[in-house]
Amino acid sequence: MSANSLPEGAAVWHSLEVDKALDLLDSNADSGLTPQEIQQRLQKYGPNELEETAGRSTWEILLDQFKNIMLLMLIGVALISGLIDLWAWRTGTLKPGEVPFKDTIAILAIVILNGILGYVQESRAEKALAALKKMTSPLVRVIRDTRLVEIAAKELVPGDVMLLEAGMQIAADGRLIEQSNLQIRESALTGEAHSANKQATLKLPEETDLGDRINLVFQGTEVLQGRGKVLVTNTGMTTELGKIATMLQAVENDPTPLQQRMTQLGNVLVTGSLILVAIVVIGGVIKDGGFKNIQELLEVSLSMAVAVVPEGLPAVITVTLALGTQRMVRQNALIRKLPAVETLGSVTTICSDKTGTLTQNKMVVQSVSTNNKTFRVTGEGYAPTGDFQLDGQKISLEESPEIPALSVACTICNDSVLQKEQGEWAILGDPTEGALLTLAGKAGIEKDQWNSKLPRVAEFPFSSERKRMSVITQVEGVATGEASSRGVDPAIAGFLQSEPYLMFTKGSPELTLARSTQIHLGNYTGPLTEEHRQKILAENDLMASKGLRVLGFAYKPLVEIPPEGSDETSEQDLVWLGLVGMLDAPRPEVRAAVQECRDAGIRPIMITGDHQLTARAIATNLGIAQEGDRVLTGQELQRMTDQELEQNVDLVSIYARVSPEHKLRIVQALQRRGRFVAMTGDGVNDAPALKQADIGIAMGITGTDVSKEASDMVLLDDNFATIVSATKEGRVVYTNIRRFIKYILGSNIGEVLTIAAAPLIGLGGVPLTPLQILWMNLVTDGLPALALAVEPPEPDVMQRPPFSPRESIFARGLGSYMIRIGIIFAIITITLMLWAYQHTHAVGYQGDPEAWKTMVFTTLCIAQMGHAIAIRSNNRLTIEMNPFSNIFVLAAVVVTTILQLMLVYVPPLRDFFGTHYLNMQELGVCIGFSALMFVWIEAEKIFLRIMGKKAV
């Protein structure tokens, strides 16, 4: 077969016999490919590399920042202001001491600063694909043209014969030709925690899940032990790792809710500003009967344009989000992408892995069945402390000698170690075996002691075909010739007569029971009747239905050590000991976190690669699902169309045996239903779903580099409860962002209306210069806004549903508040402006007639201080609040007021900002008018309270 006729399908290799796969790829297991075939296939399939699609360059990202409509308007304002100053400079009409182009320079500096802030947020390159590439092996051993050679992994082609050995990272997907005790760690790809035992001779059904394709190997996985020969079937982007890379690059980064709202805000503000500018210019031209005062009208227009743009807002939002990330890190949530802080507050659905996130990733024995009795076992984690209960009552081990007997088997037939590290009990080895050691510890059976009482002399290791393991031990008391009554521990006194060896077996309950002919009943053995068998199998089914992983235990006295390889004959006529059922126990704090989710209107969903019975048991225990709720398996999901999945996705809270493509489809279906989704994951296979989700959450302890790079947030403790805490913080951040937007834009509208009113009511000149407006927007607005950003959360922040991520920035009364407060601001300031103009132009006035402008400037700035104090709460009066609960607001008000007075009373600053000296009477009038703003907002709260309404 030529290279051009090679099969394109990759899904069927596990369903083919080895010979058929070799035929399809025109390869030979012993000689491999010829140089000519290799060259042809390299040309057809290309190198065995992950390909990266081109993204935006650094310059493109930077230039995109200046496409923001508010920045574009400021650039236009700066250019026109510069042209006016240039004209004045050339014609000699500059005022004495006036610095030309200072407005232009100040505005452009703000534009550049905001552009840099946006660039820094957006320029963090996606490194998920780079992390994927690290998982590929640089060198690989293959058979080519009958010779064993070592080549670069990128030179592999379909049809190559690749050799595997322990410690290797697999360089391509392939069909096993032969294997010997081959175990491969595939957890990063499949999500399964345990290693996969591979078998070359199997032919599997086409619909077999990825994690169960034990006759295939996959790129990026690691050989733990054994060796194998593999027919390479897929390379580069057609491997399972390549498919993940394709999915990663296909996911588009949509703007976050905050970014969408800021775009909407910019559009509204600029449009409103241009309409007002048009009204002022046209009104001024009509009023003057021509263009004789066009320069003055242009200056008014420029000031209005600068006033409407909240220049300090991007910096305040950035600082607010950064402060949010610091608070989240203290709660074990590391934010990788700054906008994700606020986005968390909009989450409506949390899709969580089971293992390690909802559970402790520690297997804990829950139930023991022996001698026709089933005991409940208490205790948490790996700590060997707990009780054995029968019918809810604690029992003593003296009354139930079968428990210590079974515990000895759990200890001896075990390769793990239980130890205490820094006050915490931990396992070295397999978590399942760790749970057995913990169980034995609760029964008073310690491994170190029993290793000396029953030293291991031989074993039959576990294999996936046998589904069991056996350990042969020497009985020390008997071996030394002592009487068994004196030399053997009472726990195993009933196990043997005078035999010098004991064999302990553990494994699949059904298979171990099938090899047993007797049963241990307390201190003696008896025949294993059919009635016994049926009861044991029924108890096994009952444990499995509760989601427990069940193991069966048996023993056999031996006269001599059985020869190596005699497991088939030696593991017969066993004495049945009992069943042990264990579970990856739920984290104790997760149940409360799930309830908090539900109280907050957030729906938790479990998505796991585990068995559906286990998934249902954990989900029901935690309150994620109710008894009888549907569990959707990966195979069922595979048969569904996207439309069918979309119809079911709101009805299912448990997904079991799922693959990476399924996770991605679940997220997409939820998003099409309008849900705002947070998705957790730790494996390479989770990366596309993490990137697709509105908030991708990677595991900090167990997570791969690929999953972390694709995520928005990393859980440093892998704990579901941390997600809920982060969501609460996200809601607080969004509430505070809305609070300071109300604060900033209310005053901006007041500024615009005040500036627009000056020429229309016949006052000479512009009351505020662009530089003064920049001062207000950056300093007198910016500092208090930063202080409002750290306002503590309201008590009910997690007692309400999430606000829609698609709601307008002006929703829930924010728009009407801004307009209302802006109008009040304008009325107060225009009233002051009329009085100040008449006051400074009165006969006999000693000061500068232009001082009325400084009074307007000062009133606007100080009124904002009252606004900042009053706006801390939407409903509570200021006197009802602890003034020191946010000390930063008080500090910002004091500092900003002092800075504002310095602009009036420090000569160099007065000259630069174009202000004028105010006497104490004038300053007192300004403060009096400013205080009216505070009084109005507090009066609004009282009015709403009387009317029984709640401000939002």
Side-chain angles (χ1 to χ4, degrees), residues 590-602:
V590 167
R591 194 175 290 106
V594 168
Q595 186 56 50
E596 190 174 5
C597 270
R598 295 201 176 279
D599 292 343
I602 300 169

Side-chain angles (χ1 to χ4, degrees), residues 421-437:
E421 295 176 347
Q422 300 176 345
E424 292 285 329
W425 287 95
I427 286 294
L428 288 178
D430 181 68
T432 299
E433 292 193 333
L436 297 175
L437 291 180

Side-chain angles (χ1 to χ4, degrees), residues 21-300:
L22 285 164
D23 287 343
L24 280 173
L25 285 169
D26 196 17
S27 187
N28 185 289
D30 298 316
S31 61
L33 299 173
T34 66
Q36 293 80 11
E37 290 171 325
I38 294 164
Q39 196 58 40
Q40 284 180 347
R41 297 182 190 199
L42 265 177
Q43 288 177 0
K44 178 174 173 60
Y45 293 102
N48 178 34
E49 292 179 322
L50 299 183
E51 300 165 7
E52 190 166 358
T53 55
R56 287 189 302 165
S57 69
T58 300
W59 284 108
E60 286 175 322
I61 296 171
L62 182 61
L63 289 174
D64 282 348
Q65 307 311 310
F66 299 99
K67 295 177 182 177
N68 178 291
I69 190 167
M70 289 194 288
L71 292 189
L72 286 174
M73 189 173 81
L74 282 179
I75 292 170
V77 169
L79 292 175
I80 295 172
S81 176
L83 289 173
I84 291 173
D85 280 359
L86 181 62
W87 176 261
W89 183 43
R90 287 198 168 183
T91 58
T93 56
L94 280 176
K95 294 176 183 176
E98 185 177 354
V99 180
F101 309 115
K102 63 183 179 182
D103 291 340
T104 301
I105 293 168
I107 294 168
L108 288 178
I110 297 301
V111 168
I112 292 168
L113 177 62
N114 282 329
I116 290 171
L117 279 174
Y119 170 78
V120 169
Q121 281 192 43
E122 203 177 332
S123 64
R124 184 185 177 92
E126 287 293 344
K127 297 178 182 173
L129 199 64
L132 268 180
K133 288 180 176 179
K134 289 180 183 175
M135 297 183 66
T136 57
S137 175
L139 296 172
V140 61
R141 294 197 313 159
V142 294
I143 297 173
R144 286 185 168 181
D145 209 14
T146 70
R147 292 185 299 115
L148 179 62
V149 294
E150 189 171 67
I151 62 169
K154 67 179 183 180
E155 296 173 13
L156 277 174
V157 294
D160 261 326
V161 176
M162 177 171 60
L163 301 183
L164 303 180
E165 59 187 30
M168 283 185 61
Q169 211 164 28
I170 298 173
D173 290 3
R175 173 68 166 89
L176 274 169
I177 299 171
E178 59 186 56
Q179 109 290 329
S180 174
N181 195 28
L182 184 64
Q183 289 189 18
I184 296 177
R185 181 187 286 125
E186 296 180 344
S187 56
L189 190 65
T190 65
E192 297 286 352
H194 52 80
S195 59
N197 295 279
K198 296 296 183 177
Q199 297 182 53
T201 55
L202 287 182
K203 176 184 174 183
L204 300 171
E206 281 194 33
E207 65 273 12
T208 304
D209 290 332
L210 185 70
D212 297 327
R213 296 177 189 175
I214 57 175
N215 57 4
L216 301 184
V217 299
F218 304 105
Q219 183 182 33
T221 58
E222 182 186 357
V223 181
L224 294 180
Q225 68 178 52
R227 56 183 177 78
K229 182 186 282 189
V230 175
L231 171 68
V232 174
T233 56
N234 297 91
T235 59
M237 299 300 282
T238 63
T239 62
E240 293 299 324
L241 210 61
K243 291 177 187 175
I244 292 170
T246 301
M247 287 190 285
L248 265 176
Q249 295 181 107
V251 175
E252 296 182 0
N253 288 322
D254 293 326
T256 67
L258 183 62
Q259 289 166 335
Q260 292 172 347
R261 289 165 181 150
M262 289 302 100
T263 300
Q264 179 198 26
L265 178 64
N267 292 338
V268 170
L269 290 179
V270 171
T271 303
S273 171
L274 293 176
I275 291 170
L276 272 174
V277 165
I279 291 172
V280 169
V281 172
I282 293 170
V285 170
I286 293 171
K287 179 174 173 292
D288 295 337
F291 293 93
K292 60 182 179 181
N293 291 321
I294 189 63
Q295 182 174 342
E296 183 181 312
L297 290 174
L298 278 176
E299 289 174 354
V300 170

Side-chain angles (χ1 to χ4, degrees), residues 460 471-473 475 495-496 498-504 556-562 570-572:
F460 298 124
V471 170
I472 297 93
T473 63
V475 185
F495 281 17
L496 68 172
S498 59
E499 295 87 352
Y501 301 102
L502 270 177
M503 180 175 73
F504 293 94
K556 181 181 181 180
L558 298 173
V559 177
E560 60 183 7
I561 300 173
S570 298
E571 293 173 334
Q572 298 286 355

Side-chain angles (χ1 to χ4, degrees), residues 127 190 456 572 587 899 918 938:
K127 297 178 182 173
T190 65
R456 185 182 301 193
Q572 298 286 355
R587 288 178 179 264
L899 290 173
L918 301 180
E938 293 294 285

